[in-house]
Amino acid sequence: MSRRRRILFIFLAVFAVIFGYRFIAIYEFRAGECHAPQPRVFASTYPGRLVVMVWNVQGHATLLRGEEHITQIADAIAKIKPDIVGINEAHRGTWQARFGDHIETLRRRTGMNGVFGESYDFLGGRFGNAILTRGTIVKADVHRLPGTGEPRSLLEAVVDVNGGRIEFYVTHLTAWEKFNRATRRVQLGCLANHVRASAHPFILAGDLNAAPDSPEITEFSANTVLQAPAHLPPTHRVMKKQLDYIYADRGWTVVSARVLDIGPSDHRPVVVELVHQ
């Protein structure tokens, strides 16, 4: 066997092992149902100003880079000083994280309060989304999103921050671009149903795994009660596309929006400043 064929064989073998692991141990095949609550009475409890960040931290990179990967993420967040942060790809006790706890590391090094929302568990470890905030987390719920493949979820928290009370939603939608477009459209519809039921000013943040000009994102942006900053730079370093978003209800005014070229993740964080007058 030639050297080129051996390299190709090794690459295919590694790919098969990784895909087989995910297919057998993680992927689920289930009906796509959305259990959103009925709309609640809305209370205008806006804080005057809010700095919001969202960051897919590429938590599985801890396997190769060690704890330094997540401590660098934490130190970057502490330097920016946001009021509230949505985190995607957080690990708690998984082998990919070397059995460490990303949320505890982030909470400790930033001095912020935190809550974790599980998308799936395996071998005693858990994977999902999280929220960090300088405010107080009043309550939190995790909602499973419809779709097959890797389980996805929506983390919802009521947070008292900067003199107001908000509902903050963090999610991470299904990947594989065009192949899972129909699933993402259903998941986005579920997100819309949840935010419409909010009882307080609301913000939705997360890795939606689709570019702004994709049909599902275009439809979602046009048909919901949400607004998002337009024309942001790419947030994914390799794909060179914007995949990460911060949406806010239309009672907010967007003062500024930035994509920061910091940290070790394959995603760049998005930071948005909101005010209510």
Side-chain angles (χ1 to χ4, degrees):
M1 183 182 295
S2 67
R3 182 172 180 273
R4 180 177 296 180
R5 288 184 177 180
R6 283 198 301 272
I7 293 173
L8 179 60
F9 176 79
I10 292 171
F11 173 81
L12 292 175
V14 170
F15 178 82
V17 169
I18 294 173
F19 182 78
Y21 156 73
R22 295 181 66 82
F23 186 85
I24 295 171
I26 296 175
Y27 282 17
E28 292 183 356
F29 300 88
R30 54 189 172 85
E33 295 183 6
C34 179
H35 300 287
Q38 293 297 314
R40 292 162 282 182
V41 177
F42 183 84
S44 183
T45 53
Y46 289 89
R49 175 183 178 272
L50 205 63
V51 176
V52 184
M53 173 185 276
V54 66
W55 203 347
N56 181 323
V57 299
Q58 193 189 11
H60 60 273
T62 308
L63 180 64
L64 297 179
R65 298 174 185 163
E67 189 179 8
E68 182 182 0
H69 177 79
I70 203 67
T71 58
Q72 288 179 359
I73 296 283
D75 292 346
I77 293 172
K79 186 175 181 179
I80 300 302
K81 294 181 172 60
D83 297 305
I84 193 162
V85 186
I87 298 289
N88 300 130
E89 294 194 7
H91 291 251
R92 304 195 91 167
T94 67
W95 61 269
Q96 296 101 319
R98 300 189 183 186
F99 305 102
D101 188 332
H102 287 166
I103 308 310
E104 179 58 25
T105 299
L106 290 168
R107 187 200 61 76
R108 185 181 68 250
R109 292 185 72 95
T110 62
M112 303 173 82
N113 296 314
V115 64
F116 175 75
E118 178 184 308
S119 293
Y120 66 81
D121 63 87
F122 180 66
L123 295 177
R126 297 185 292 163
F127 172 88
N129 306 299
I131 294 171
L132 300 172
T133 180
R134 300 188 183 282
T136 301
I137 298 168
V138 178
K139 66 175 184 177
D141 294 296
V142 180
H143 311 284
R144 297 191 73 184
L145 293 179
T148 59
E150 182 178 309
R152 302 292 185 171
S153 66
L154 173 67
L155 172 60
E156 174 188 4
V158 176
V159 180
D160 288 344
V161 59
N162 291 0
R165 174 168 288 191
I166 67 168
E167 295 199 35
F168 193 69
Y169 299 86
V170 182
T171 193
H172 184 191
L173 300 190
T174 190
W176 299 102
E177 290 200 88
K178 295 179 181 179
F179 296 105
N180 274 333
R181 179 162 287 161
T183 297
R184 266 194 310 279
R185 181 175 277 116
V186 173
Q187 291 175 344
L188 286 164
C190 187
L191 298 184
N193 290 339
H194 275 282
V195 299
R196 288 192 187 104
S198 296
H200 304 94
F202 50 89
I203 297 163
L204 170 67
D207 175 1
L208 304 188
N209 266 316
D213 60 353
S214 63
E216 63 271 34
I217 295 294
T218 300
E219 178 182 317
F220 178 74
S221 299
N223 296 329
T224 68
V225 292
L226 296 163
Q227 60 172 327
H231 310 299
L232 289 179
T235 60
H236 196 279
R237 299 179 191 274
V238 178
M239 297 177 65
K240 300 187 185 306
K241 295 181 179 180
Q242 182 192 349
L243 303 181
D244 306 271
Y245 298 80
I246 295 174
Y247 286 90
D249 74 66
R250 297 187 182 276
W252 299 97
T253 297
V254 178
V255 176
S256 65
R258 299 175 289 161
V259 175
L260 306 181
D261 193 16
I262 58 173
S265 174
D266 57 352
H267 287 251
R268 299 180 178 94
V270 179
V271 178
V272 172
E273 181 182 355
L274 302 170
V275 297
H276 177 75
Q277 297 175 335

